[in-house]
C-alpha cells in the first residue's frame, strides 16, 4: 500500500511540474530555457543525492560504459516530456494534457509488460488490462467532450 501511495503522490507532482515549467517558459520566453532550468535543478539535486548516498560511488562509475545503448535515453525522454507538456498544457489544459499523457503511458506500459521489453518481467495482456485501458481512453474523451462543450458555449455567448 505504501508503494501505491508513493506512486500516486509522485504522479500528482507531474501537473505541478508542468505548470511551473509553463511559467518558466513565459518568464524566459523559451521552451528550451525552461526545460534547461528544470533539468539543471534536477541534475544538481541528483548530484547531491548521489554524493551523499552509499549506493553509487565515483569509483564504480567505470561500469557505466558497459551498459546497453538504450539505458542512456531516459534523459532524452525526459526532455520530450517536459517540452511537450510545457508547450501543450496552456493550449489543452492540465486535465486533458495529462489524460492524453496517461493514454500514452498505459499503451506503452501494456506493450512493455506483454513483451518484456527493456528487460522487464513479462506480464501478459489480459482482458481486464485491455478493459482498463479502454476505460482510461473513454475518460479522456469525456474530459475532451467537456472542454469542447465549454468552448462552444463560450463562443456562442
Amino acid at each position: 500500500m505504501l508503494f501505491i501511495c508513493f506512486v500516486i503522490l509522485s504522479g500528482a507532482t507531474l501537473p505541478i511540474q508542468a505548470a511551473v515549467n509553463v511559467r518558466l517558459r513565459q518568464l524566459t520566453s523559451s521552451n528550451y530555457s525552461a526545460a534547461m532550468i528544470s533539468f539543471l535543478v534536477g541534475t544538481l539535486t541528483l548530484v547531491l543525492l548521489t554524493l551523499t548516498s552509499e549506493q553509487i560511488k565515483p569509483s564504480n562509475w567505470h561500469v557505466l560504459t558497459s551498459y546497453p545503448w538504450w539505458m542512456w535515453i531516459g534523459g532524452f525522454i525526459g526532455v520530450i516530456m517536459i517540452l511537450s507538456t510545457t508547450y501543450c498544457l496552456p493550449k489543452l489544459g492540465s486535465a486533458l494534457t495529462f489524460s492524453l499523457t496517461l493514454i500514452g503511458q498505459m499503451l506503452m506500459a501494456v506493450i512493455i509488460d506483454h513483451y518484456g521489453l527493456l528487460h522487464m518481467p513479462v506480464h501478459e495482456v489480459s482482458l481486464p488490462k485491455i478493459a482498463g485501458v479502454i476505460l482510461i481512453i473513454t475518460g479522456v474523451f469525456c474530459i475532451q467532450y467537456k472542454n469542447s462543450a465549454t468552448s462552444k458555449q463560450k463562443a456562442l455567448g
Side-chain angles (χ1 to χ4, degrees):
M1 186 62 167
L2 182 63
F3 291 118
I4 291 170
C5 291
F6 181 70
V7 172
I8 290 171
L9 211 65
S10 172
T13 66
L14 293 176
I16 295 168
Q17 180 192 29
V20 168
N21 288 338
V22 166
R23 186 65 183 134
L24 275 171
R25 177 178 172 243
Q26 291 167 343
L27 293 172
T28 63
S29 301
S30 168
N31 219 14
Y32 300 125
S33 293
M36 184 194 65
I37 291 168
S38 181
F39 273 98
L40 181 60
V41 171
T43 299
L44 293 174
T45 303
L46 287 171
V47 166
L48 289 173
L49 289 172
T50 300
L51 293 176
T52 58
S53 83
E54 295 182 26
Q55 294 178 355
I56 300 178
K57 297 190 185 276
S59 61
N60 296 337
W61 288 0
H62 69 279
V63 299
L64 295 175
T65 58
S66 66
Y67 293 168
W69 67 268
W70 51 266
M71 292 185 129
W72 299 100
I73 64 173
F76 178 73
I77 292 170
V79 169
I80 292 170
M81 184 65 188
I82 286 179
L83 291 176
S84 67
T85 56
T86 304
Y87 182 75
C88 295
L89 189 125
K91 293 166 181 49
L92 301 176
S94 190
L96 182 56
T97 298
F98 282 96
S99 297
L100 294 169
T101 300
L102 182 59
I103 288 176
Q105 289 173 331
M106 290 307 304
L107 292 173
M108 185 51 68
V110 168
I111 291 168
I112 289 171
D113 275 355
H114 184 73
Y115 293 105
L117 300 177
L118 306 172
H119 296 273
M120 293 291 106
V122 171
H123 299 277
E124 292 183 359
V125 173
S126 63
L127 229 41
K129 281 184 186 178
I130 292 170
V133 172
I134 290 170
L135 285 172
I136 289 169
I137 292 170
T138 303
V140 171
F141 282 115
C142 291
I143 290 169
Q144 176 57 29
Y145 175 77
K146 173 69 175 150
N147 284 347
S148 295
T150 303
S151 297
K152 287 178 185 174
Q153 285 176 342
K154 286 180 183 177
L156 295 175

